[in-house]
Amino acid sequence: MSCHVCSRAPTSRLKYLCPSCARNQLYQLRIENARILLENESLGQQINETVSSINILEALSERPDSGHLSLKNEGHVAWPIQTIANEKTKSSLRIKLLESRTENLRLEIKNKKRNISEYKLTLAQRRSDAGSAKYQLAEREAAILSGIHNNAKRTDHLWHSLHSKTAEARIFLCREAAYLYNLRQKVKKKDGEVKEAYTVGGIPIIDLRDMNGKLRSLFRRILS
């Protein structure tokens, strides 16, 4: 089941940045440690029972009439003693194994706690860095936007100035070209209407509007 805080799987290999994931991991180790301690206690009880049985058998063997025990009874007594000795050896091995596992679990829990402490320090450092980054963020954004607006206004002013200079340069060039080609304007009155005529070097310039009118009248004559 995934974590309800960070939604990570319980077998995730990522670092534990979530307190809930770290706590769940420690709970599993604590449960394992408790199970080992219970097994150790159970083995201790078995050993105590075995030792008690050995003591009882030794007490029986020390009785005054113990020398009159038959071979059959001696065989019955020796077999439980051998069985108890074997169980004691096995119990000792299991106890050593459990002690080793318990020590390993303690070391692992200690390492997990140290890792959690390091993660907490890392998170605290990240929070501190985030707070430093957010400090006076609005003022810095306002200053940056103000600089951008000023640059935009300056660029717009330069563009308008350049456009005006370009227009003035074109006007000057057109005027100089007209002067060089001897462009002249003449005003004529024809049928009570004032018409303007232009000449370049004494050669009249045909008015395109007049050409359109003449072409239309020509087409009408052809069609009629």
Side-chain angles (χ1 to χ4, degrees):
M1 184 176 180
S2 59
C3 178
H4 67 281
V5 177
C6 62
S7 300
R8 285 184 180 175
T11 57
S12 178
R13 297 293 181 182
L14 300 175
K15 293 183 177 180
Y16 295 110
L17 300 179
C18 173
S20 180
C21 291
R23 185 170 58 251
N24 292 336
Q25 187 69 16
L26 289 177
Y27 281 161
Q28 186 65 28
L29 296 175
R30 289 175 180 174
I31 292 171
E32 185 69 18
N33 190 19
R35 185 182 64 80
I36 292 172
L37 292 176
L38 290 174
E39 290 181 358
N40 192 7
E41 184 178 357
S42 177
L43 290 174
Q45 291 178 357
Q46 292 179 7
I47 291 170
N48 292 331
E49 292 175 357
T50 303
V51 171
S52 299
S53 300
I54 292 173
N55 292 332
I56 292 172
L57 292 174
E58 289 178 352
L60 291 174
S61 63
E62 292 176 357
R63 291 174 57 182
D65 55 348
S66 61
H68 300 287
L69 292 174
S70 62
L71 293 174
K72 183 177 180 180
N73 292 331
E74 290 178 357
H76 284 295
V77 171
W79 175 253
I81 292 174
Q82 184 65 31
T83 303
I84 291 170
N86 293 334
E87 291 294 333
K88 185 177 181 180
T89 303
K90 293 179 181 179
S91 299
S92 299
L93 293 175
R94 291 190 65 185
I95 288 171
K96 290 181 180 179
L97 179 61
L98 290 174
E99 288 178 351
S100 177
R101 292 183 63 184
T102 303
E103 186 65 25
N104 291 333
L105 287 174
R106 287 176 181 173
L107 291 175
E108 189 173 355
I109 291 172
K110 185 177 180 180
N111 293 331
K112 293 294 183 182
K113 288 181 178 179
R114 185 176 66 254
N115 292 335
I116 290 172
S117 300
E118 293 176 356
Y119 295 153
K120 287 182 178 179
L121 292 176
T122 303
L123 287 175
Q125 184 64 33
R126 289 183 178 179
R127 291 192 185 99
S128 178
D129 295 340
S132 300
K134 291 180 180 179
Y135 178 70
Q136 293 182 347
L137 182 61
E139 296 180 0
R140 286 184 289 174
E141 287 181 352
I144 292 172
L145 290 175
S146 177
I148 293 173
H149 287 311
N150 292 333
N151 291 332
K153 289 180 180 179
R154 190 180 299 107
T155 303
D156 189 52
H157 176 72
L158 292 175
W159 185 85
H160 282 295
S161 177
L162 181 61
H163 179 70
S164 299
K165 291 180 180 179
T166 303
E168 291 176 358
R170 288 179 178 178
I171 292 171
F172 175 76
L173 291 175
C174 290
R175 187 182 295 112
E176 291 296 322
Y179 177 76
L180 291 174
Y181 284 99
N182 195 16
L183 177 64
R184 294 290 183 269
Q185 180 184 12
K186 295 181 180 180
V187 179
K188 295 181 180 181
K189 288 185 178 181
K190 186 177 182 180
D191 299 332
E193 294 181 0
V194 178
K195 292 186 177 181
E196 296 178 351
Y198 295 91
T199 59
V200 176
I203 300 173
I205 299 175
I206 299 174
D207 192 351
L208 297 179
R209 293 173 294 180
D210 294 339
M211 291 181 64
N212 291 335
K214 291 179 181 180
L215 289 174
R216 287 177 184 174
S217 61
L218 180 60
F219 287 148
R220 288 176 182 175
R221 290 176 184 176
I222 293 172
L223 293 174
S224 61

